[in-house]
Amino acid sequence: MRKPELLVPASSLEVLKIATVFGADAIYIGGEAFGLRAKARNFSKEEMAQGIAFAHEHGVKVYVTVNILAHNYDLAGVREYLKELKELKPDALIIADPGIFTYAKEICPEIERHISTQANNTNYETYRFWYKLGAKRVVTARELSLEEIRQIRANIPDDMEIETFIHGAMCISYSGRCLLSNFLVGRDANQGSCTHPCRWKYSIVEESRPGEYMPVYENERGTYIFNSKDLCMIEHMDDILTSGIDSLKIEGRMKTALYVATVARTYRKAIDDYLEDPAKYQANMSWYQEQIAGCTYRKFTTGFFYGKPSEEAQIYDNNTYEKGYTYLGFAEAVDERGYVQITQRNKFTVGEMIEIMKPDGTNLLVPVKAIYDEEGNSVESAPHPQQKLFVDLGGEAEVYDILRRSEA
């Protein structure tokens, strides 16, 4: 059994630091261009340098996405961007386009090249093809079963790595190659500008009856016919960890620090528990389930891992998320009084009970004793997002702890 890497997404420098502290072995990020999350905040060159340095100080790797499907007009910019990345020294580049792969091999051959799921990697001959060209790792298409992944492992070089998504949103289109966004609003999903129309509600209109909206599915409110449940394999880590996968990937490069911390911490403990003793993993199952349910998510499915999904993998009647907790901020610093400095994300008040979420798996329920603004004025509540505050939580919080409120 191979000891796998836990690969976690980060949308910003703040989230990268949280992912590092909460258990990631590696983190994948996007720069300001040529990645498939154009609407994410993403990293400037300076932030990327800081993030790589922080991660490396903690023994964590950083991979940078350069995974658009490039057009001719992209190529000159790609070359210049790869020259910048050569200076920044990330641990790997995640690439889908053969042209960009060729440039990366030429310009920064010392940086590992990983092949994105966008490249439709569904068989072991594809893995061998990329290996011969110099790829270190290939990300499986999300349409593969665990049995197919085991077959790939048995038919590729031992030093070639397999990366697989095990948690997060599922794209309705084959390996993410969707044209809905292009067609409906003119924003190219394969250039990083997907508007996620698979999450919209649809009805049909018959040409001779304008204005009469008929549901696509037997539901009086229309249907979210393309809306997939989220992938979650926390209950099946025994199968995942014995399948020959080298890197277990979490989807979510547009998610909050709370989401990333929750998923990273939960999968970190599940992996470590199983490797220590499979019986320990089974004994702690209720804890993993409880923690992962605290994320914002669209119910759960096991995707294609156990065969083709049925209609149960779709959500036809709504586009709402399940939400267990609200993110309040994280401990950016703790002063000599024990007060926690945060950049407030959602409103909370003095006297309210909130949770301190720690990297080691501990959750502490504590009262908000006092809140102070930057001028030292005492305030009763924190209604303004992004406000800098100092919060008295009885000295229980440490730097990088997450503050959250239960919505149960």
Side-chain angles (χ1 to χ4, degrees):
M1 184 169 58
R2 306 163 82 93
K3 183 177 181 180
E5 164 189 276
L6 178 60
L7 177 57
V8 178
S11 59
S12 66
L13 182 58
E14 169 188 310
V15 178
L16 180 147
K17 292 179 178 179
I18 293 296
T20 298
V21 172
F22 274 77
D25 295 308
I27 298 167
Y28 65 103
I29 65 175
E32 294 176 326
F34 309 119
L36 284 183
R37 286 294 181 270
K39 290 193 292 182
R41 181 169 174 266
N42 292 321
F43 286 69
S44 67
K45 182 178 179 180
E46 293 72 25
E47 289 172 328
M48 197 177 290
Q50 292 177 47
I52 292 170
F54 182 89
H56 285 177
E57 287 169 7
H58 291 78
V60 172
K61 294 180 178 180
V62 177
Y63 308 146
V64 177
T65 58
V66 197
N67 58 344
I68 66 163
L69 300 180
H71 289 254
N72 292 331
Y73 52 76
D74 293 312
L75 295 179
V78 166
R79 291 188 68 89
E80 292 307 309
Y81 184 51
L82 289 171
K83 291 175 183 176
E84 288 186 6
L85 293 178
K86 182 181 180 72
E87 297 174 13
L88 294 172
K89 298 181 174 61
D91 297 278
L93 305 177
I94 303 173
I95 300 169
D97 187 277
I100 295 178
F101 184 93
T102 301
Y103 283 177
K105 190 173 180 180
E106 171 198 333
I107 294 168
C108 43
E110 70 281 6
I111 301 176
E112 285 186 8
R113 293 169 296 283
H114 298 176
I115 306 304
S116 170
T117 190
Q118 299 290 128
N120 303 100
N121 310 302
T122 57
N123 63 76
Y124 56 77
E125 290 293 357
T126 296
Y127 275 67
R128 290 172 174 172
F129 169 84
W130 284 114
Y131 182 78
K132 290 174 183 176
L133 288 177
K136 174 67 174 176
R137 176 184 297 183
V138 173
V139 187
T140 61
R142 299 195 203 188
E143 295 76 25
L144 295 188
S145 67
L146 280 169
E147 181 54 35
E148 289 175 294
I149 293 171
R150 291 187 182 99
Q151 291 170 8
I152 290 173
R153 176 78 274 160
N155 287 279
I156 63 174
D158 191 60
D159 62 338
M160 187 176 198
E161 296 177 356
I162 298 174
E163 179 178 304
T164 298
F165 282 95
I166 61 164
H167 191 95
M170 294 285 284
C171 182
I172 191 66
S173 188
Y174 196 80
S175 283
R177 293 192 168 198
C178 185
L179 292 176
L180 278 176
S181 186
N182 303 54
F183 182 76
L184 295 174
V185 295
R187 294 179 61 170
D188 191 343
N190 298 303
Q191 290 275 303
S193 298
C194 185
T195 54
H196 301 102
C198 56
R199 309 301 183 192
W200 302 350
K201 183 168 78 170
Y202 291 90
S203 296
I204 60 172
V205 178
E206 200 275 322
E207 185 176 2
S208 65
R209 298 179 180 133
E212 291 188 33
Y213 294 91
M214 293 169 281
V216 179
Y217 183 77
E218 193 62 40
N219 183 300
E220 69 278 6
R221 293 170 294 185
T223 181
Y224 296 86
I225 193 169
F226 303 122
N227 191 28
S228 172
K229 293 181 180 179
D230 285 356
L231 179 66
C232 178
M233 292 300 289
I234 196 67
E235 298 176 13
H236 306 279
M237 296 306 290
D238 45 356
D239 290 339
I240 291 290
L241 293 171
T242 56
S243 63
I245 299 170
D246 297 278
S247 181
L248 309 182
K249 190 171 192 175
I250 308 298
E251 184 278 335
R253 208 151 50 79
M254 296 176 69
K255 297 291 190 179
T256 66
L258 172 59
Y259 178 93
V260 168
T262 302
V263 178
R265 186 179 73 162
T266 306
Y267 277 96
R268 174 79 278 146
K269 181 167 175 54
I271 293 167
D272 292 348
D273 286 352
Y274 185 87
L275 294 178
E276 180 183 337
D277 183 356
K280 182 177 182 181
Y281 164 72
Q282 292 297 335
N284 288 331
M285 184 63 70
S286 60
W287 187 87
Y288 314 137
Q289 293 167 329
E290 177 186 353
Q291 296 306 306
I292 216 71
C295 292
T296 302
Y297 67 99
R298 295 183 194 88
K299 301 182 180 179
F300 288 135
T301 175
T302 56
F304 290 81
F305 281 121
Y306 297 104
K308 185 178 178 181
S310 70
E311 67 276 5
E312 294 300 314
Q314 299 294 110
I315 308 172
Y316 294 109
D317 60 352
N318 70 76
N319 185 30
T320 58
Y321 286 94
E322 305 288 335
K323 183 178 181 182
Y325 289 91
T326 294
Y327 179 42
L328 305 179
F330 78 99
E332 300 167 17
V334 179
D335 67 17
E336 65 280 357
R337 300 167 295 181
Y339 292 179
V340 180
Q341 178 184 332
I342 71 166
T343 302
Q344 177 259 359
R345 296 310 200 278
N346 286 286
K347 182 179 179 180
F348 62 101
T349 60
V350 173
E352 187 174 355
M353 299 298 291
I354 67 172
E355 279 190 15
I356 301 173
M357 176 183 169
K358 292 181 173 290
D360 66 1
T362 304
N363 301 316
L364 299 179
L365 187 64
V366 297
V368 179
K369 296 184 175 182
I371 305 174
Y372 301 92
D373 64 20
E374 286 187 282
E375 287 72 43
N377 301 310
S378 176
V379 295
E380 287 301 308
S381 67
H384 306 300
Q386 301 300 314
Q387 187 175 3
K388 297 287 185 181
L389 299 170
F390 294 86
V391 186
D392 182 1
L393 299 174
E396 298 284 0
E398 301 172 277
V399 176
Y400 296 116
D401 285 354
I402 294 282
L403 306 186
R404 65 185 187 180
R405 178 178 58 238
S406 174
E407 299 303 323

